[in-house]
Amino acid sequence: MTSKQETTADAETHLTTLLQELGSSSGLKMSSATAQTQLNPLLDAFSLASTQHARSLAFLVISKIISNARPKDPSTASEKAQTDATTKLSQLFTSLLEPRLSSTDFKNVFPALGLFAALFQVDQATASQILQKDGVMESVIDATDLFHGDEGRNVSQGVAALLSQASGSKSCRPLVASHAMTWLQAQSQITSDPTLRAAAAITLTKLSRGAEEDASATTSSSGSAEPLQEVRRSTDDLVSVMRDLVIGSPPNTEPTSSSKPTPQATLDAVEGLAYLTSDTNIREFLSVDSTFLESLFSLIPPPKKRQTGPVPVIDADNATFDSPQQRSSSGLLYGIAVIIANITAYKPQLTEEEKQVEKLKNMTQAGAQSGQKLAESMDPMEIQRETPLYVKRRCRRLVKAGVLPALVSIASRSESESVRRTTGKAFLSLVEDKENRGKVIQAGGAKALLAMIRTALAAREAQSVEPKSAKGKVASTSHQPVRALDLQDLFSIQALAKLSITASPLLVFGPDASSSIDAIRPLGHMLLNPASNLLQKFESLMAMTNLGSLGPVVATRIAGYKEPSLGSILTKAETLLLDDNVLVRRAAMELICNLISSDEVWERYTGEGLDGKTPVVVGRDSNAASAPSTKAVVNRLRIILALSDVDDIGTRLAASGALAMLTSSASVCRIMMEDMEDGPKKAFAILIDLISPLHLEEDDDDDNSKEKQMAGSAGPSPGDLQPQLVHRGVVCVRNILANLNPSPPESDAISNIVRAAETTKLAGVLVATLTAPSSAGNKEVVMAAAQALKWLANHGVKLPMK
């Protein structure tokens, strides 16, 4: 074993021992006086000779020190307790870092920079307080002039990495801008050291993004406002630097081993662009750069496949950029996903109420004068580039450049919640354009979305499990509500719903109906989730309507789906039948219409099988209708009959279609004729209006953006749909009359029906339908109308002569 290996092994042993002591019941007593000796192994972990394993142990030790010093329950701790803990930790780490940062020995300075950057990642408050101490920032910057050659390069990289972490802190950004701006800008132009260049660029990016929110604080400090203004002006240069790093070789430079970006440089460049693509102009600029897009997507490894053999062992210490471990790092995938999501993002569509709230919020946050200046400074071209037309074009450019296989690959590696959610958001933006949906399906997007959704649902279930009791037994979860998915997790489900609406479920999910069953759970969850907005509920209903059309097996699964503590799909759909939004009512009615093929929904709407008895018929004892279950059936049928008479043609089609099926049940016919107010007369009036309406109105055209979004492209005109309404109305009439045959002709029920038919002139409408040219080719309509007329004639109703 070499001396380097012995030193590394010793460091790992010391760190392991230190971690054990910190985790013991007695703990490890620390003070500023003893920190130099006790925490020396931490510094060794960030030396050049250290291994990745040692650095991982060091992060665990830092985290343990922080958690031991801070209050056990941060949510209930007072602000003073947190401040006191920060002060104590700051004193502890200052005693370790300050003398080494001011040293002239490379072996002291370089590890101190690494430890300081790690502290920012674990406890930003403590690290920020240390950096703001007198002389600390000066020591950090001075270190860049003390060393030369390889030592100078390593120290500069360490300083840039530290400043990158510090720029994420609001309190440190003015300090970094005032002390390091010139140095950072110079390093961002050094093409010979991509790692340093990328670290400097990401620091400048963080300063740029934070400059606006920190403006009020920085202008009150002398000398700090001008550098921040300069940062904002240099955004275009930063984009160019990071673009070059992603592509892999700076322009007009021969690719050499020194100019090739390292994994860390590429990661920093991707992270920086993830920040910068929040700017609309930068999104547009990058979307037309096919070279950049293809290079960005090439950083993503192929989709992960199931391993059938032993898991391969990867040497993390010697991993190169091309190793799967390095390339599939969560940070890299997340950064790429954010860039894609930002470039493809649509501006949120607000309702009038939401627009007013946003306007009031802006008026509250800024005075009238500053608001006017903001409006004057807005770039008209930037506003135009936020319109749906421009976003759609950006999405299509990314699809052409290969974004779909890239997203599918990211989705297959979605262990990270942040990566999963951001990928789902990107998919949702891409499928907003119907032209992209077929391409998404072809690329495996539907399966990728399902995989991410399963992961999210499994994580939710794991978090909903009640912890073990003190005796080690799992307590009962009967009263423990299952946690619903967060709003960010619904993006993937909504994208899947859009695919399911416009394409056949067999194309989206698989070649047989059973393959579509896996989609019921996520679509049902989005419908039932309290966080879902109206558009998401609408699209969930539409997607499940499409699934329900596959047949009784799938329809039964949809009808029977329930979420603990959230309810059932069927109950929620019935509630939405009364929603104020026309399109949501229509979608709910269409879903229920398609679910009638299931036994559960059939029994729910007909009353058949409720008590294990045969269906009721006309002439049966009317007291049977007083049973609670029968009252519920009456109410449900009353709603469907009412929806068959609304102005919206789509809703009428779905409701009358449901009635056409339900009236094949004798019990439903009896309920409609006997148990409803003005039973025969009202029912016949509604059915006659289906067969021969007095007027047919187009859907209302309102300016509500979300309703327009739900409506999508225009469907068939009302005139085109009239034959379908006629068909449904005639079948309903025929079914009702045919199911009355078992009753005695002289019964009161029959007499009431005959009078209602005469009053509403039902026979005349049927004769007109039978002889209409439009009915000539429809045998089903002709047959049903003839059967209904025959019943009326047999019961004494005079038929008009045509």
Side-chain angles (χ1 to χ4, degrees), residues 463-530:
Q463 293 170 1
S464 301
V465 173
E466 195 167 331
K468 291 183 178 180
S469 64
K471 295 182 178 180
K473 297 181 179 180
V474 177
S476 172
T477 59
S478 58
H479 301 293
Q480 191 80 1
V482 177
R483 189 176 69 83
L485 289 179
D486 294 333
L487 179 61
Q488 295 91 333
D489 288 313
L490 297 181
F491 295 143
S492 296
I493 304 178
Q494 190 175 3
L496 186 68
K498 287 180 182 291
L499 294 177
S500 306
I501 291 170
T502 53
S504 166
L506 301 180
L507 180 63
V508 177
F509 302 108
D512 53 70
S514 60
S515 303
S516 301
I517 290 176
D518 288 342
I520 295 173
R521 186 185 183 196
L523 294 173
H525 183 87
M526 186 166 72
L527 175 66
L528 300 172
N529 194 309

Side-chain angles (χ1 to χ4, degrees), residues 579-707:
D579 193 85
D580 292 336
N581 187 286
V582 173
L583 296 172
V584 171
R585 286 201 306 268
R586 180 198 300 173
M589 189 63 253
E590 288 174 345
L591 174 60
I592 291 174
C593 180
N594 277 7
L595 296 185
I596 287 176
S597 61
S598 74
D599 291 341
E600 179 179 346
V601 179
W602 177 262
E603 292 176 2
R604 187 177 178 86
Y605 279 84
T606 63
E608 294 180 1
L610 288 172
D611 299 311
K613 299 178 181 179
T614 56
V616 289
V617 294
V618 175
R620 183 178 170 179
D621 184 2
S622 60
N623 291 332
S626 64
S629 56
T630 306
K631 287 183 178 179
V633 172
V634 172
N635 289 333
R636 295 184 190 110
L637 291 173
R638 184 181 288 118
I639 291 172
I640 291 184
L641 185 62
L643 290 176
S644 299
D645 193 37
V646 296
D647 291 336
D648 179 65
I649 303 302
T651 305
R652 295 180 74 188
L653 275 171
S656 57
L659 275 182
M661 290 183 282
L662 291 171
T663 50
S664 65
S665 165
S667 61
V668 169
C669 298
R670 185 194 66 81
I671 290 171
M672 291 178 63
M673 295 295 101
E674 292 189 3
D675 294 338
M676 293 184 182
E677 303 84 352
D678 299 326
K681 184 177 180 181
K682 182 176 182 180
F684 285 157
I686 292 174
L687 296 177
I688 287 172
D689 199 36
L690 290 173
I691 301 169
S692 179
L694 295 177
H695 57 83
L696 207 57
E697 298 180 359
E698 298 275 359
D699 293 346
D700 291 337
D701 179 23
D702 70 47
D703 294 328
N704 186 291
S705 56
K706 285 193 175 180
E707 186 157 314

